[in-house]
Amino acid sequence: MASISTLGYMVLGVRDLNAWERFAVDVIGMQAGRRIPGRFLALRMDEREQRLVLEASGEDDMLAAGWEFDTEEALDEYVAQLRGRGVDVAAGSGELAEARRVERLFACVDGDGLRHEFYFGARRAAMSDAFRSGVLKGAFNTGRLGVGHFVAVGKDGGEAQAFYRQVLGVRVSDYIRGEVAPGATMEVAFFHAGTGRHHSVATAQIPFPFPKRIHHIMVEATDMNDVGLAYDRCIAAGLPIEMGLGHHPNDQMFSFYVKTPSGFALEFGFGGIVVDDATWEVKRYSQLSDWGHRHPVA
Ligand SMILES: [Fe+2]
């Protein structure tokens, strides 16, 4: 059984590319890569040519998840498995592979309109063009663990959970059922891929209508101080903090959440654990955070 190695990139459709560039580069610490003015901006987080891809779009939402395979054989085998289960998986064009900076890719679309791209062979930047952040003390924790994670808010959370588990084949890490507002509970299921970031994706069943496909995306730093420094930069820039500093009981992530220029949040974290399938036990938790992550009082 071929399986996904990690979440290698995310594609966001954003209304205001300039605001996003200021946010991602000056506040979060990414590096602007190649661009097509007014249409496209690649953001770098490491030696790859791109990790976060911004496309001009009125949607202000996540457009695609890039699922990485270690070998071309694993990619082909995986696509054959999906097709064998009746999933409509199309081969991506050479033009799309070029835009994503990968060798080959395939794609399918889930019930919530999010594209899942399956690829092999992400391109590295030239050695002379090393990644440089203008503000990070350390680096982004990417490499084999991938770009980070996203939390999908399915129109029907149960269906989304089944899609990730049964169709995509990512494995359950754990579940949290917690209160998000007085009397309103939310169930979140967390899924890891092959290289073991605690979750590359989670699905949330939110007890009220939600306008986006995702609640947030997450990027992780290798230095705990970068969480505090990024938090200070958000405050200095007057950006809305959705949840202050806090700690999640399941992935052990120390983080905060800031509202992006697209309205959904970005979690900036440190210290997330890596799952070892040989010893991992799936647990259920009853709170989303063991301390902090409070909504700021206006
Ligand atoms: Fe998160």
Side-chain angles (χ1 to χ4, degrees), residues 149 151 199 216 218 248 257 267:
H149 71 233
V151 175
H199 56 287
H216 69 268
M218 190 283 307
H248 289 300
Y257 295 71
E267 178 183 13

Side-chain angles (χ1 to χ4, degrees), residues 165-189:
R165 196 173 177 165
Q166 290 155 20
V167 179
L168 243 52
V170 284
R171 293 180 287 277
V172 174
S173 304
D174 35 47
Y175 302 91
I176 302 183
R177 202 181 173 81
E179 202 170 62
V180 280
T185 58
M186 167 164 86
E187 177 162 284
V188 190

Side-chain angles (χ1 to χ4, degrees), residues 21-33 43-48 129-142 219-223 226-227 229-230 233 268:
E21 182 171 0
R22 287 193 298 275
F23 172 72
V25 173
D26 301 343
V27 179
I28 302 305
M30 298 179 186
Q31 182 183 351
L43 291 164
R44 293 185 58 193
M45 295 170 63
D46 56 16
E47 79 291 347
R48 296 270 175 99
D129 188 16
F131 170 72
R132 266 186 307 272
S133 170
V135 291
L136 285 189
K137 215 166 117 57
F140 286 110
N141 192 18
T142 54
V219 296
E220 187 178 14
T222 58
D223 185 329
D226 273 319
V227 179
L229 290 165
R233 286 192 297 273
F268 193 106

Side-chain angles (χ1 to χ4, degrees), residues 13-22 54 56-57 60 261-262:
V14 311
R15 208 179 278 269
D16 189 340
L17 276 170
N18 294 331
W20 255 97
E21 182 171 0
R22 287 193 298 275
L54 306 180
S57 155
D60 264 336
S262 289

Side-chain angles (χ1 to χ4, degrees), residues 246-275:
H247 185 263
H248 289 300
N250 58 338
D251 66 351
Q252 301 290 314
M253 189 75 79
F254 165 61
S255 63
F256 72 92
Y257 295 71
V258 58
K259 189 180 257 192
T260 69
S262 289
F264 55 80
L266 179 141
E267 178 183 13
F268 193 106
F270 165 81
I273 59 169
V274 174
V275 168

Side-chain angles (χ1 to χ4, degrees), residues 113-132:
L114 181 66
R115 277 170 65 85
H116 295 274
E117 299 176 352
F118 310 106
Y119 73 90
F120 159 75
R123 218 180 287 173
R124 287 161 173 263
M127 207 187 274
S128 56
D129 188 16
F131 170 72
R132 266 186 307 272

